[in-house]
Amino acid sequence: MVQSLAFVSGKGGVGKTSLAINSAINLSLNGFSVAVLDSDFGMSNANIMMNVKADKTISDVLSGDCVLEDIICESHAGVKLIPGGSGTLDTLNLDTEQRWKIIRSLDALEDDLDFLIVDTPAGASNSSIEFASAVDHVIITLVGEPTSFMDAYAFLKALHLEKKVIDFSVIVNMAKNKDAALRDFKSFEKIALMFLPVNLNFIGWMPSSNDIVQSIIARKPFILDKNSKKAVGQCMDVITKNIQETLPKKRSGVQFFSSGNGV
Ligand SMILES: Nc1ncnc2c1ncn2[C@@H]1O[C@H](COP(=O)(O)OP(=O)(O)O)[C@@H](O)[C@H]1O
Ligand SMILES: [Mg+2]
C-alpha cells in the first residue's frame, strides 16, 4: 500500500520543498520506492532543487498530450519526480475536475511506490486544500515566527472545517535547537487546540543551517552531501523515521490511490 503525505504550511519560504525533497531522498536511501508530486503548479521548483530538467509536466498530462509515465523524471537516489507546471494559466487555475484527474492519474504508480510525497504551494487555495486532503498524512512545516503560526493555523483550520482532517504532524524548521523547536510546537498546539478538535504530533525539527542554504544554491540536496549530512542529517533521520512510523489515516472523499467518489 502506498503511503501518501503532503508538506503544507500556509506561509511560503518556510522550507516545505527542501524538506519534501530531502525526506524523499532519505526514504529512498533507506530502500523505499518514492515519488514526489510537485503540486506548486504556479511556481514549481522541486525540479530546480533536484537539478532535474523537466521537459514535460503535469500540464501535458492534463491536456491529453501524454500519460503520467511520460513526464516522470528519475532523480537522486531513484526518487521519481512528477513535475508541476511552469506557471502557465491552465495549471494555475485548475478546477476540481482537473485536480481529480491529476489525483487519479497517479493510480498508475500504485504498484511501484511505497511513498508519495506531495509538495504544496504557499497559501490556502482550493488547490492546496484539495491536494492536502487527498493524502494519508498531512505535515505542517512551521518556523518560529508569528506569521508562520498564523498562516499554518489558517491552513489547518480550512483543512479541518472543509475536509474534516483531524490528525496533523508538525515539523519545526530553522530552529535554534530542539528545545526551542519543542517550545514553538507547544505554542502552536495550544493555539490550535483552543479552537479546534484536532490532534497534533511533533515529528521533528531542523536547525537553521547555512549548509542547507548552500545545498539549495548548489542544487544538491543536503542529504546527499557528506558534510551537511554530518551536521543536519540526524534531524532528517528522525523525521524520516517518524514518517515511516506514522500510520496512514484513511478518510472519505477524493484520495490518492483509492477509487474515491469522483468530483
Ligand atoms: N533549515 C534551514 N536552514 C536555513 N535555511 C533554510 C532552511 N530550510 C529552508 N531554508 C531557506 O528557505 C528558503 C525557502 O525554502 P523552500 O524549501 O523553498 O520553502 P517553501 O517550499 O516552504 O517555500 C530556501 O531557499 C533556503 O534558503
Ligand atoms: Mg516550495
Side-chain angles (χ1 to χ4, degrees):
M1 197 178 79
V2 190
Q3 189 176 335
S4 55
L5 46 129
F7 282 84
V8 307
S9 67
K11 185 171 159 49
V14 295
K16 286 181 302 297
T17 302
S18 168
L19 285 166
I21 285 170
N22 283 285
S23 54
I25 296 172
N26 214 20
L27 283 165
S28 191
L29 292 171
N30 286 338
F32 294 101
S33 175
V34 188
V36 172
L37 169 65
D38 186 348
S39 77
D40 193 342
F41 302 117
M43 276 171 220
S44 61
N45 42 34
N47 56 314
I48 302 172
M49 276 198 207
M50 292 177 111
N51 205 13
V52 163
K53 192 167 175 293
D55 293 325
K56 289 193 162 78
T57 69
I58 210 85
S59 181
D60 298 288
V61 177
L62 281 177
S63 63
D65 289 343
C66 57
V67 293
L68 189 85
E69 282 90 337
D70 300 331
I71 68 164
I72 292 175
C73 304
E74 275 282 319
S75 84
H76 306 288
V79 170
K80 296 180 170 74
L81 174 67
I82 303 161
S86 47
T88 52
L89 212 62
D90 53 337
T91 42
L92 278 175
N93 295 324
L94 292 180
D95 60 26
T96 305
E97 193 176 340
Q98 287 171 311
R99 288 192 287 269
W100 178 80
K101 210 172 153 189
I102 293 174
I103 290 169
R104 288 283 66 86
S105 74
L106 265 80
D107 288 346
L109 299 180
E110 185 161 14
D111 293 337
D112 303 335
L113 291 183
D114 298 308
F115 288 94
L116 170 72
I117 297 188
V118 182
D119 182 26
T120 67
S125 63
N126 289 343
S127 207
S128 28
I129 296 285
E130 280 195 26
F131 281 107
S133 72
V135 301
D136 308 319
H137 182 188
V138 179
I139 301 176
I140 296 174
T141 304
L142 271 188
V143 299
E145 293 169 10
T147 44
S148 166
F149 278 38
M150 288 313 297
D151 293 359
Y153 177 74
F155 195 91
L156 177 149
K157 185 176 170 190
L159 211 48
H160 177 72
L161 296 181
E162 287 177 31
K163 302 288 182 179
K164 312 281 173 273
V165 180
I166 292 171
D167 298 285
F168 297 84
S169 292
V170 176
I171 295 173
V172 179
N173 192 21
M174 303 190 224
K176 231 185 211 165
N177 52 45
K178 188 176 179 186
D179 285 348
L182 276 169
R183 271 198 304 277
D184 284 335
F185 168 70
K186 286 283 169 204
S187 311
F188 182 70
E189 188 184 39
K190 199 171 158 194
I191 298 168
L193 297 191
M194 214 181 289
F195 301 107
L196 300 169
V198 291
N199 300 318
L200 300 186
N201 184 27
F202 178 77
I203 62 161
W205 70 285
M206 290 297 296
S208 183
S209 155
N210 192 44
D211 281 355
I212 295 180
V213 176
Q214 292 309 320
S215 76
I216 293 172
I217 292 169
R219 297 190 184 187
K220 182 174 182 188
F222 66 80
I223 204 72
L224 294 169
D225 183 286
K226 256 196 211 146
N227 292 331
S228 313
K229 188 156 191 325
K230 226 186 261 169
V232 294
Q234 272 184 340
C235 289
M236 198 69 223
D237 287 343
V238 171
I239 290 170
T240 312
K241 186 169 157 281
N242 284 328
I243 286 175
Q244 286 171 55
E245 288 176 359
T246 303
L247 293 175
K249 296 274 190 311
K250 280 288 168 205
R251 288 188 293 270
S252 55
V254 179
Q255 296 282 294
F256 285 103
F257 308 114
S258 73
S259 12
N261 40 11
V263 277

